[in-house]
Every structure is written in structure tokens, then in C-alpha cells.
Amino acid sequence: MKPDISRWQIAPENLQLDPHELHLWRFRIDISATAAGGLRQCLSADEISRAERFIRWQQQIKFVAARYGLRRILAGYLQCSPASIVLAYSEQGKPSLNEKHQSDIKFNLSHSGDWATLAVTAGSDVGVDVEGVINRNHLEQLGDYAFDDAEKRLFADYSAARQRRGFYRLWTAKEARLKMIGVGLSDLRSSYSPGFLHLFPVAKKYLAALAADTDVHKISRYHCWFGEDQ
Ligand SMILES: CC(C)(COP(=O)(O)OP(=O)(O)OC[C@H]1O[C@@H](n2cnc3c(N)ncnc32)[C@H](O)[C@@H]1OP(=O)(O)O)[C@@H](O)C(=O)NCCC(=O)NCCS
């Protein structure tokens, strides 16, 4: 069954999630250093020290913007402040809500280039991956690493542009699936299995995939912005 998918829209004040519903969020993370300085106050001490470990300041800003966005959106479901959210981490680094929140909400975040996307469910495991589509000349080597022979044959006869699209669709689908399970990229070759999967553009030249462990009947898509021009 194909899910009912909304257009990207402004979220309502009162966020409600049904068991077979999924909320997809997108927001830009290419904010100014001034805006990032303000948002950083809402991050935890470990997030701030992670941000400070990025050598390039643009990466620091994007990390801060993505973590702030995550906190701000989750705060809307939990009716609390972004700073009061406590995250827990699996052994392989997958973040979730700390049990102190007593919430069924599950989520997964992905960021690439100027954009972040966040998937939120009422209890289903979820994984999301966004990638900026660029004309990489090492796609073939990446494909050798990530895809098996049958997968490579899927788009072997296509034109270069269609091959690139095929590459990104398969790559994001596999990574979303891995992130749903919570394992790392090292399992890329072995992990592909069917399940709920939805491919979608986040913005021009940004392709994403979403994987969930239960059937999703409805996807509501929300757009938000946390920079100073809000
Ligand atoms: C998880 C992973 C696939 C993400 O790859 P990526 O394409 O660089 O990044 P994305 O933007 O799509 O996703 C990153 C986000 O996924 C989440 N994430 C981190 N680890 C995750 C995991 N194991 N499973 C699912 N999601 C994870 C985080 O929110 C992270 O963003 P943030 O830390 O900046 O908030 C990759 O980092 C990986 O392979 N990690 C290795 C996991 C591992 O083996 N860890 C060893 C112990 S720490």
C-alpha cells in the first residue's frame, strides 16, 4: 500500500503522531555564525565539545544547526524546551530519547551539504539518509565498495546521468536501512533487505531515503528554519 504523502508545509502547533504515521522534517543548516552562536546555548556539554572538535568552522556551524533542529523539533512533541532534552546513544552511536522522557517517539537524523532531514515516528524504528547529488568522479569506486554485482547490473546500461541517479537512490536506500537497524556503513554490502522504503527529494539536488520497520500509511512533511531570518 502506498502511503498518503503531504507536500512540505509549516507544522501545526499541536503535533500528533498515529502509529502508522511518520513525520518527515527538513531544515537548512547553512546558517550564519551569529545564529549558530545563539542556538549552541541549547546544546548539551557533550554536543558542544563534539562541535568544537570539527576543524572547519562551517562544519561546526552545521553540526550545531542540525543538533539544535533535532532538539527543537523533538521539543514540540514532548512539550518541553529544546535544552531539556536528554539523548541516549546505542553502542554504535544511534541517538534516541533518554528514558526519562517516558516517550515512544523514535527518530533519525541525516545531514548533507546545506540540508538536514529528520524522521519521527510514534514507536517504529526508522532510518533516514540524505545525500547531495554531485558529479563525483569516484562514484564507480564507491559503487564497487557498496554494491554487489546484481545491484551494479541494475543501472549498468544507463546513461551517465541515469547511472548517477541510480547510484544515489540505491546508496541512500541502503544507508537508510542500515540507520534504521542502527548499524554502521561497514555493513553496506550485506544489509539490503526489503521493508518500508520511501525515496524523496529534500530539495533541488538532494536525494533522500527513509526506511521503517512497520508499514507507514501516512507521511506528513514539514519544513522549518532556525536561522536568524525566521
Ligand atoms: C551512522 C552512519 C551510517 C551515518 O553516516 P553519514 O552518512 O555520515 O551521516 P548522516 O548525516 O546520514 O547521519 C548522521 C546522523 O545519524 C545519527 N546516527 C549516528 N550513528 C548512528 C547509527 N549507528 N545508526 C543510525 N543513526 C545514527 C546521528 O544523529 C548522526 O548525526 P549527528 O551525530 O550529527 O547528530 C555512519 O556515521 C556510521 O557508519 N557510523 C558508524 C557506527 C559505528 O560503527 N560506530 C562505532 C561506535 S561509535
Side-chain angles (χ1 to χ4, degrees), residues 208-225:
L210 164 74
D213 73 344
T214 47
D215 214 13
V216 174
H217 299 172
K218 184 175 172 197
I219 300 177
S220 301
R221 299 195 293 179
Y222 299 126
H223 174 84
C224 49
W225 168 249

Side-chain angles (χ1 to χ4, degrees), residues 177 180 192-198 210-215:
R177 195 104 189 117
M180 178 193 87
Y192 189 74
S193 55
F196 177 80
L197 187 69
H198 172 59
L210 164 74
D213 73 344
T214 47
D215 214 13

Side-chain angles (χ1 to χ4, degrees), residues 25-47:
W25 295 80
R26 72 168 183 188
F27 53 96
R28 295 193 75 109
I29 52 174
D30 56 336
I31 61 172
S32 71
T34 317
L39 303 186
R40 183 188 151 102
Q41 316 298 324
C42 294
L43 269 50
S44 64
D46 65 291
E47 286 170 328

Side-chain angles (χ1 to χ4, degrees), residues 50 63 66-67 70 90-95 108-112 128-131 175 178-180 182-186:
R50 244 189 95 187
F63 175 79
R67 279 302 171 117
L70 170 67
S90 72
E91 242 172 64
Q92 288 179 295
K94 184 170 180 173
N108 195 236
L109 174 73
S110 180
H111 38 89
S112 175
V128 68
D129 181 49
V130 59
E131 299 288 340
E175 195 173 323
L178 285 172
K179 292 184 72 191
M180 178 193 87
V183 297
L185 287 175
S186 49

Side-chain angles (χ1 to χ4, degrees), residues 55-71:
I55 295 164
R56 293 175 57 207
W57 62 268
Q58 291 97 330
Q59 280 181 295
Q60 272 197 30
I61 289 175
K62 286 179 177 179
F63 175 79
V64 168
R67 279 302 171 117
Y68 175 81
L70 170 67
R71 286 174 168 274

